[in-house]
Amino acid sequence: MKDKIFLGLKIIATLVAVVAIVYTTAGCLKVVANTSDQYYCFDESNAQLVEAGKTPLQCRFTAVGREMTAIDVPIATDGVSEGTMAYRIKSTEDELLVEEKDLNLATITGDNTNLYRIDVSELGMVQGQDYILEVDCREANHLSFLMLNGQLVIRQWFQFVHKTLFSVAIMALAVFAFFMVILLWKCGLHPKLFLLMALVFGLVAAIVVPAGSKDDEYRHFIRAYTLARGEKTIALAHVTGNEHGTIAGVADRQDYIVEVPEEINQIRLLDFSDNADGGGYQAANNQRVCIDKIISVMKHSKIYDTDYENNVVKVSAAVTATKPSVLYWPQIAMIWLAQLLHINPILYLYLARFGQLLACVMCLYIGLRLLPKRYDFIWILFGIVNVVSLMASCNTDGLMIALLILALSILLWFRETGLDIISKKAIPADVAYLFITYFVYKNKLPDVLLCVAMLLLLKKQNVARLGGFFKKHAKVLAVLALVAVVGLVIWLICGGYRTVLGILYGFVPEGHVVFIRDNTKYTIKLFCTEWINQVKTLVLAANGSGRIPYALTAILTLILCEKKEPIVLRIYCIVLFAAMMMLMILVGFTMTPPDYGNIWGITYRYMLPFLPLCAVAFASGNKTTQEAVRLVYPYHMIAVMAMTLMGWFLWLNRI
């Protein structure tokens, strides 16, 4: 009877996965087929309306699409504009492409801001080449244009010409997902199947997720690039106005500036390009031309290039400039290998992504091999698509999540085998755990408490052996502790408390401490509200692009995937999870003006490392349920991963 029920569950899970994949594939193909024109506009957030004068207005722009159709010019009037205007488009070599004169303003303007559309479909504009648009309004009155840094703000329209490419890629993903479902049906949940799925899905994510789209990814990549070149430190330099990057915003300030090949600057597709001169493109706009930009850059680049160092630009490496090399070893290895083989720098970011993906997948694979079948929460965590996208990026948080999952796997392996944590056989695992703790310390200091606190997940025998070790050396440790306490008291009496306050103010600014003291109730309410919001965000982060209630399924699986644990241990894990989240919120509070009204600087990715605790905290003791979940969940995960990656293909060009 039980076998028949399991077979029925397996059939239902397979059918649901297949239907979901087919439905999403059909929907994505329909979206691609219906996509025609797209637009790309300059960042209008800092633009200002400027009244037209006697001098022609200009805009130097790069044709972003392969088949350009139109250019929109925002025009603002006060309702009584009169006269005529003229425009011309020419190449940078002063070759005239089109010119129109004596355009009657009464026919092209109204009472509000308008867009005057210029048809360029017959001009044969070449993607990637620069052109100049000139607008002459000497015969016009009461007419204004959006201007930014002395340039007209325009919107380019171009045809979406990649329908075949996108359709083939989406179909290939669907075929692979069906293949994985067949393998799962025949082989069941197995670490080797995980390895295959993780590498393929992760590799697709590394390719299709637009460069720079993950938090601070481009700056992490720049740091890995400088370390691969042997530059351990990046010195502060004065911003001159020619630098590129998010943080280099004011010409009279200092910033961490790095010289990189022009190709590396070109790959900065979705990084906010607020350059030191104040000009830039919004990331959402950049997203519309990702595939065009990649194809254009690749087309004009050589796979093997020995002259790339002759054409360099300066970019900002703020935020990551002081981070240590231990955080970037997978990226460094791949970039160093690419430099050794003289591969074009345009591929460095993608190779660095693959390096991190490979390291993360191996960590998870080792974790799966260490654990018995009932500890399959690694599958669950990998199935959260946001984890996959982080692991397939240059952001160090992806590797930290993988290492923390491996750390938890090591501790559960100790519990399962009963191995003495201070025995010779345990040395490799001990060294790995210490390395993970060191890595976490260098990446995010608050999470070190997580590594320490997880040690209590060990069996009592191991805790007792650790206690025995300390008991054996009790006298020496007691003397050292006494000396430390006496020294600390003397130091505080002699004024050391000022140093303590200085350290405290280094983490929590003095103004924040005063604000908390004077507005205690408000601050407590703010922290609790933000904690609830972060829990909601963490759950939503697991949804992916699928219509199946993925987050709910993931949570239920976390509840049901492990054998019963002592209630004290489960409560401990819940409290630790809540406390770690609150600690990260406190860190965010130090980055926020105390009276701002909310807390910034904290995203869901900071909370993902705490999810493994849920697998232990909410463990069920029902063996039959465990087997059912292990049987059903992988089909669901494969479907959601395939569906999400299809959505990422559309996201690649914001269609």
Side-chain angles (χ1 to χ4, degrees):
M1 183 65 180
K2 180 179 175 182
D3 292 338
K4 291 183 178 180
I5 293 175
F6 279 177
L7 179 60
L9 286 173
K10 190 175 180 180
I11 294 173
I12 292 173
T14 305
L15 290 175
V16 170
V18 170
V19 170
I21 294 170
V22 170
Y23 179 82
T24 304
T25 303
C28 290
L29 292 175
K30 182 179 179 181
V31 170
V32 171
N34 292 336
T35 302
S36 55
D37 285 0
Q38 293 184 288
Y39 70 87
Y40 185 56
C41 59
F42 204 66
D43 181 6
E44 301 176 6
S45 59
N46 297 319
Q48 295 180 341
L49 280 173
V50 177
E51 188 171 355
K54 301 303 180 183
T55 304
L57 305 177
Q58 280 193 351
C59 174
R60 182 176 179 131
F61 64 95
T62 302
V64 297
R66 190 190 304 174
E67 296 184 13
M68 299 287 296
T69 58
I71 293 176
D72 286 341
V73 182
I75 300 175
T77 72
D78 58 6
V80 292
S81 58
E82 55 187 31
T84 61
M85 77 172 195
Y87 73 83
R88 66 188 62 86
I89 298 177
K90 57 185 180 181
S91 67
T92 52
E93 288 78 22
D94 215 29
E95 177 188 355
L96 184 64
L97 300 182
V98 66
E99 183 175 23
E100 291 285 347
K101 298 180 179 180
D102 301 326
L103 295 169
N104 191 340
L105 293 180
T107 62
I108 61 175
T109 62
D111 295 333
N112 302 308
T113 301
N114 292 270
L115 292 173
Y116 177 65
R117 177 159 296 183
I118 302 173
D119 186 355
V120 298
S121 58
E122 304 297 329
L123 301 186
M125 302 178 78
V126 179
Q127 182 186 38
Q129 287 194 8
D130 291 341
Y131 298 90
I132 297 173
L133 168 66
E134 286 186 356
V135 177
D136 190 344
C137 302
R138 284 175 288 186
E139 303 298 328
N141 297 315
H142 309 290
L143 187 63
S144 299
F145 293 85
L146 276 179
M147 302 286 290
L148 183 63
N149 298 324
Q151 296 280 311
L152 281 169
V153 172
I154 66 171
R155 174 180 292 177
Q156 301 183 48
W157 286 89
F158 56 96
Q159 287 188 359
F160 180 68
V161 296
H162 308 294
K163 293 184 178 182
T164 302
L165 173 64
F166 275 55
S167 299
V168 170
I170 290 169
M171 288 296 297
L173 263 176
V175 170
F176 177 74
F178 290 140
F179 175 68
M180 291 300 298
V181 169
I182 294 172
L183 282 181
L184 188 61
W185 181 274
K186 290 186 176 181
C187 306
L189 193 59
H190 193 279
K192 290 183 179 179
L193 184 61
F194 167 84
L195 187 63
L196 174 63
M197 185 184 70
L199 286 175
V200 174
F201 280 148
L203 184 60
V204 173
I207 294 172
V208 304
V209 173
S213 60
K214 304 309 297 180
D215 305 80
D216 296 326
E217 184 194 19
Y218 183 73
R219 282 161 291 287
H220 282 292
F221 165 65
I222 290 297
R223 181 57 175 152
Y225 171 78
T226 58
L227 289 168
R229 290 175 55 88
E231 302 171 13
K232 293 184 179 180
T233 59
I234 302 175
L236 280 170
H238 287 284
V239 176
T240 63
N242 297 318
E243 296 81 4
H244 303 273
T246 304
I247 309 298
V250 184
D252 60 357
R253 60 163 289 182
Q254 287 188 323
D255 203 351
Y256 295 99
I257 305 300
V258 178
E259 285 192 346
V260 300
E262 170 62 25
E263 290 87 346
I264 287 180
N265 181 55
Q266 290 177 333
I267 204 64
R268 186 163 48 97
L269 298 177
L270 277 196
D271 186 42
F272 283 90
S273 309
D274 297 327
N275 302 329
D277 61 3
Y281 287 91
Q282 293 178 344
N285 297 326
N286 283 352
Q287 197 170 323
R288 291 189 173 91
V289 292
C290 276
I291 190 66
D292 295 277
K293 182 72 172 178
I294 293 172
I295 292 174
S296 176
V297 172
M298 294 291 186
K299 187 185 299 183
H300 296 91
S301 301
K302 303 175 183 176
I303 298 298
Y304 298 97
D305 189 357
T306 58
D307 300 325
Y308 60 83
E309 292 187 355
N310 295 329
N311 186 19
V312 297
V313 296
K314 294 181 178 180
V315 299
S316 169
V319 179
T320 62
T322 58
K323 288 187 175 291
S325 58
V326 68
L327 304 181
Y328 299 99
W329 53 270
Q331 298 98 309
I332 292 172
M334 295 303 293
I335 295 174
W336 181 83
L337 180 62
Q339 290 175 333
L340 187 66
L341 298 175
H342 299 291
I343 294 176
N344 193 294
I346 201 72
L347 299 175
Y348 285 5
L349 182 136
Y350 294 99
L351 291 172
R353 282 179 169 183
F354 179 70
Q356 169 145 300
L357 172 68
L358 195 60
C360 292
V361 170
M362 291 311 300
C363 288
L364 299 183
Y365 177 71
I366 293 171
L368 276 174
R369 295 301 299 265
L370 283 175
L371 299 175
K373 291 181 179 180
R374 66 173 177 271
Y375 294 107
D376 282 330
F377 59 86
I378 290 178
W379 276 82
I380 300 160
L381 294 175
F382 179 80
I384 297 176
V385 292
N386 304 81
V387 174
V388 178
S389 63
L390 278 173
M391 291 180 180
S393 76
C394 294
N395 194 307
T396 56
D397 286 340
L399 184 57
M400 191 180 81
I401 294 171
L403 287 172
L404 281 172
I405 294 174
L406 177 59
L408 184 57
S409 301
I410 291 172
L411 294 180
L412 295 176
W413 175 71
F414 274 122
R415 291 184 63 210
E416 185 68 22
T417 60
L419 187 64
D420 191 343
I421 196 171
I422 57 175
S423 66
K424 291 183 179 180
K425 291 183 178 180
I427 288 178
D430 293 338
V431 171
Y433 198 87
L434 290 173
F435 171 77
I436 293 170
T437 304
Y438 177 72
F439 180 94
V440 173
Y441 161 72
K442 287 294 186 180
N443 195 30
K444 284 190 170 51
L445 181 60
D447 288 355
V448 174
L449 295 177
L450 181 63
C451 292
V452 176
M454 283 197 310
L455 289 172
L456 293 181
L457 296 176
L458 292 169
K459 279 190 174 181
K460 291 183 179 180
Q461 295 90 324
N462 268 308
V463 176
R465 289 189 177 98
L466 284 174
F469 172 80
F470 287 105
K471 185 176 181 180
K472 181 179 179 181
H473 304 282
K475 294 181 179 180
V476 176
L477 294 174
V479 172
L480 292 175
L482 180 62
V483 171
V485 170
V486 172
L488 179 62
V489 171
I490 295 174
W491 177 67
L492 290 173
I493 294 174
C494 295
Y497 68 92
R498 296 189 183 90
T499 304
V500 174
L501 287 176
I503 295 173
L504 175 63
Y505 293 151
F507 291 97
V508 183
E510 185 174 357
H512 291 218
V513 177
V514 174
F515 182 84
I516 292 173
R517 184 190 63 197
D518 298 339
N519 304 272
T520 306
K521 291 184 179 180
Y522 170 80
T523 306
I524 293 175
K525 181 180 178 181
L526 176 65
F527 271 65
C528 293
T529 302
E530 188 63 27
W531 191 91
I532 294 172
N533 290 337
Q534 287 298 332
V535 172
K536 291 180 180 177
T537 304
L538 190 60
V539 173
L540 292 174
N543 279 321
S545 299
R547 296 179 180 271
I548 302 176
Y550 175 73
L552 177 62
T553 308
I555 292 171
L556 289 176
T557 309
L558 288 169
I559 293 174
L560 303 172
C561 70
E562 192 189 346
K563 70 175 185 178
K564 188 174 182 180
E565 297 291 350
I567 186 65
V568 175
L569 179 62
R570 297 166 72 176
I571 293 175
Y572 167 77
C573 289
I574 295 172
V575 172
L576 180 60
F577 172 78
M580 291 300 301
M581 287 189 66
M582 187 58 76
L583 181 60
M584 293 305 300
I585 293 171
L586 175 62
V587 173
F589 181 75
T590 66
M591 302 160 54
T592 310
D595 57 348
Y596 189 73
N598 57 40
I599 298 175
W600 68 34
I602 298 298
T603 65
Y604 74 90
R605 60 192 167 100
Y606 297 152
M607 309 302 173
L608 288 174
F610 313 140
L611 282 180
L613 291 172
C614 296
V616 178
F618 296 109
S620 170
N622 191 316
K623 185 177 179 181
T624 302
T625 305
Q626 292 172 28
E627 294 177 2
V629 170
R630 289 190 67 254
L631 184 68
V632 171
Y633 182 76
Y635 294 98
H636 170 74
M637 185 178 64
I638 290 172
V640 171
M641 285 297 300
M643 294 157 65
T644 302
L645 287 173
M646 291 177 193
W648 282 349
F649 266 106
L650 303 186
W651 182 47
L652 182 62
N653 240 58
R654 205 172 180 83
I655 62 175

